Structure formats: structure tokens, C-alpha cells
Amino acid sequence: MTGHAEEDQDAPVDPILETAVDWLLKTRACPHDERLHSAAIVWRAAHPAHEQAWRRAERVWKLTGALPGRPAATADTSPRVVPLRRRRGLGRMVAVTAAVALAASVVVALLPTIELHLRADYVTARGEQRRITLEDGTLVILAADSAIRVAYGPSERRVELIGGDAFFTVAEDHRRPFAVTGEDLRVVDIGTAFAVGIDPEALDIGVESGAVHVAYGGPVPEGAPHDTRLDPGGRLRIDRATGRFNQDQVQPGQIALWRDGLLVVENQSLAHVVAEIRRRYPGLIIVRDDALMTRRVTGVYDLRNPEAALRTALLPHGGRVSTLTPYVLIVGGA
């Protein structure tokens, strides 16, 4: 009968892209398997279309931390392509639902990433940490999913932290002070190694050596300070909702422990913890329980294993993590 498509017929797939994704998933899962990586290189070199598909899969990985709708990688290192048209009935409905959810999540996740790329001079993807040497010799360690813009002039060296976390070891230049700005914040170096972080809840500053002067231009409680000085081991967290300064002192070596893959939180919301883990997770984390995210937590979490860190943070509060695809996690209540 004309005018009707087969009910169970799926859209055609690109078998070369599917194979490229298989190879990429397996090499990411086994980074030290030299034979696997060599086999992937041979496959890429076999035809220009293979290399093009590989680069396309890598672009999606780097920008969103996820690959498009893929099943889990198997132990078999020979890539297989399973035609999607074989999926029927309930299995097909589940696959379509997962694909729609994944596509919507990718769009949401990609928007801030695109904004960072447009505004920033240096940007990191999810799960990436980067060391950058600026033109004056200042060293910047940029945490995952973070971005900075550099504006050096004749009288001042200024770096804008657009989002995320950065640690600065500032090169000495008495003629041009060094300042970090972002979200009503201005941190001026006084011969320093220091960290600055921006998240939806707060602004964080910590000093490993030297000193900084911190000035905050946002609203603060009546009679509260707009600025302060931090010396080695000094930490300051500015609550963005209230403008309140929370200042304390720790060992200098405890500043910016994210450089070593650790997340340390003290009486902070689960929303903050999930946001920090999300930046290190090579995929998407979708929250479906806003009330759960208001719970306060204190703990140390290993960011080198983001999924385990997420489960550890949620478990005491009855939270659960479900796997929609190998690169999409769903967070909800018990």
C-alpha cells in the first residue's frame, strides 16, 4: 500500500559514524591498551571517511562530555554495528525515549559551553584540567568546565574568570598589578599563588602563598565589609544570595584541592556538590528531585571517579543514581 511507511522502520544510520563511536568508546574505556589504540589508528587510516567520522565523534565528546546515544562498550575489541532497524516493539520505544531525553539534555548542556567558547580565550571541557602559561609567565591551572578571558594592558594585567575554577601563580611585575575579576568580584594579587572559583551559590577565594586583596561589588548586609585581605591559608566564601562573607583559615596546602582530584565541601548544598561533579563527569547528569538538592552536606569526594563520588554524596540522603545510557545519569530520590 502506498503512502504508508513501515511501522517499525527506523531512520537510517551512518555505519561509519557508528563504528567510529565504537572505537572511541573502547579506547576511552581502555586508555592503556596499546593494541586497541593501534587497531583504532589502523581503522582511521584505512579511509578518509573513517578519520572524518572519528573527528566528528571526538567533537561531540569534547563539547558535551557525551557521545550520541550509544550502548555500553563491550569487552570485545572488534567494533560491531547493530542496525537500529532491528529494534522493535517495547525496546524501540525505550530507545526512542532515551534518545529524545539525551538530545534534550545535550542541547541544555551545550548552550553554556558554546557561550564559554564565544567569550573566552582559554576554556576547558568537562573532565579536562589544563595548565596555561600567559604571556608574562603567569601560570594558570584551569579546572574542568571553566573559562577565562585575558586582558593585559600597559598599566594592569587582568584576567576575567567567566566561570568555574582557576589557580594562579602570578609572575612578578611591579609596573602592572595582576587582578582577577568575575561576578562583582575583584581579586588583586600581592605576590601570590591563589585560587578563585565561581558557582551559582558562591564566590570562593583561597591563598596558597603571598596575599590578595578581595573587593566585592555586589550587595552585602548592612554594616558588613565589601573587601578584605587574605594571607597564606586564608579562604573566603561569599554567599551570592546574601552577600555575606564567610572567612576562615586552613593549611596553605589545602587550597584548591581540586587540582589533586578532591572535592572538599563544608555544609554546602547537594546542588553545589552535583554541579561540581557534573563538571568532571564525561557525560550528562540530570536531576529530577529539586528538594533533594537543598540538603546540606559535608565531606571529601574523589573527583577522579565522578560517578562513585555522586553516589557517595547522595546515599546518606536517600538519593539514587540511575543509568539512562552509559553517558547519562539520572539523579532522584529513593
Side-chain angles (χ1 to χ4, degrees):
M1 183 179 297
T2 60
H4 293 276
E6 223 178 56
E7 187 175 12
D8 288 327
Q9 184 72 27
D10 287 283
V13 297
D14 181 349
I16 296 177
L17 179 60
E18 287 281 292
T19 306
V21 170
D22 278 332
W23 277 119
L24 186 58
L25 279 172
K26 288 169 181 173
T27 54
R28 293 277 179 169
C30 305
H32 304 298
D33 190 330
E34 294 184 3
R35 288 199 305 169
L36 178 61
H37 282 262
S38 297
I41 291 171
V42 170
W43 179 84
R44 291 167 59 185
H47 194 280
H50 294 187
E51 180 65 20
Q52 184 179 9
W54 175 274
R55 292 185 182 278
R56 181 181 171 192
E58 275 194 323
R59 283 197 298 271
V60 175
W61 179 286
K62 290 177 180 178
L63 285 176
T64 67
L67 290 171
R70 297 294 302 138
T74 64
D76 179 12
T77 57
S78 302
R80 293 185 299 125
V81 178
V82 180
L84 295 181
R85 60 177 60 89
R86 293 181 186 173
R87 301 173 186 165
R88 301 182 184 276
L90 180 60
R92 180 174 182 273
M93 292 175 62
V94 172
V96 170
T97 301
V100 170
L102 177 60
S105 301
V106 167
V107 170
V108 171
L110 190 57
L111 288 176
T113 301
I114 293 173
E115 181 185 6
L116 291 184
H117 276 274
L118 290 175
R119 295 181 57 196
D121 292 316
Y122 300 96
V123 64
T124 51
R126 290 184 179 182
E128 177 189 15
Q129 184 167 295
R130 185 178 177 189
R131 296 171 67 90
I132 303 155
T133 301
L134 301 182
E135 62 182 64
D136 64 334
T138 292
L139 174 65
V140 183
I141 302 177
L142 201 57
D145 200 18
S146 302
I148 59 172
R149 180 166 54 190
V150 180
Y152 277 18
S155 60
E156 181 186 60
R157 296 169 294 163
R158 180 167 55 85
V159 174
E160 179 189 358
L161 180 60
I162 299 171
D165 294 278
F167 184 88
F168 302 89
T169 303
V170 181
E172 187 174 314
D173 185 343
H174 296 296
R175 298 173 303 166
R176 295 187 301 167
F178 185 93
V180 176
T181 62
E183 301 286 355
D184 295 319
L185 184 70
R186 182 177 176 83
V187 182
V188 179
D189 157 70
I190 309 173
T192 319
F194 66 101
V196 181
I198 294 176
D199 67 47
E201 293 185 3
L203 308 173
D204 290 285
I205 306 94
V207 177
E208 185 177 77
S209 65
V212 298
H213 178 261
V214 181
Y216 179 61
V220 300
E222 185 175 353
H226 280 270
D227 62 350
T228 189
R229 174 186 167 116
L230 296 178
D231 294 306
R235 295 190 308 184
L236 174 65
R237 184 171 177 84
I238 304 174
D239 189 303
R240 296 178 67 175
T242 65
R244 189 176 302 279
F245 282 30
N246 297 300
Q247 190 169 339
D248 66 358
Q249 195 75 20
V250 297
Q251 291 296 320
Q254 295 180 27
I255 299 297
L257 285 172
W258 52 261
R259 292 175 291 167
D260 300 318
L262 297 177
L263 172 63
V264 180
V265 295
E266 300 174 18
N267 191 33
Q268 295 178 31
S269 69
L270 269 176
H272 168 76
V273 175
V274 171
E276 290 298 310
I277 293 173
R278 183 182 277 134
R279 292 166 51 197
R280 278 82 178 182
Y281 178 68
L284 301 174
I285 299 175
I286 303 170
V287 175
R288 290 186 172 170
D289 188 337
D290 292 337
L292 177 65
M293 294 297 100
T294 63
R295 302 285 183 86
R296 313 297 290 187
V297 297
T298 295
V300 179
Y301 306 99
D302 188 350
L303 295 173
R304 293 165 295 189
N305 189 338
E307 184 173 348
L310 182 64
R311 295 181 187 277
T312 300
L314 292 170
L315 184 62
H317 303 278
R320 296 182 59 186
V321 180
S322 303
T323 303
L324 180 61
T325 80
Y327 295 96
V328 180
L329 302 178
I330 307 297
V331 173

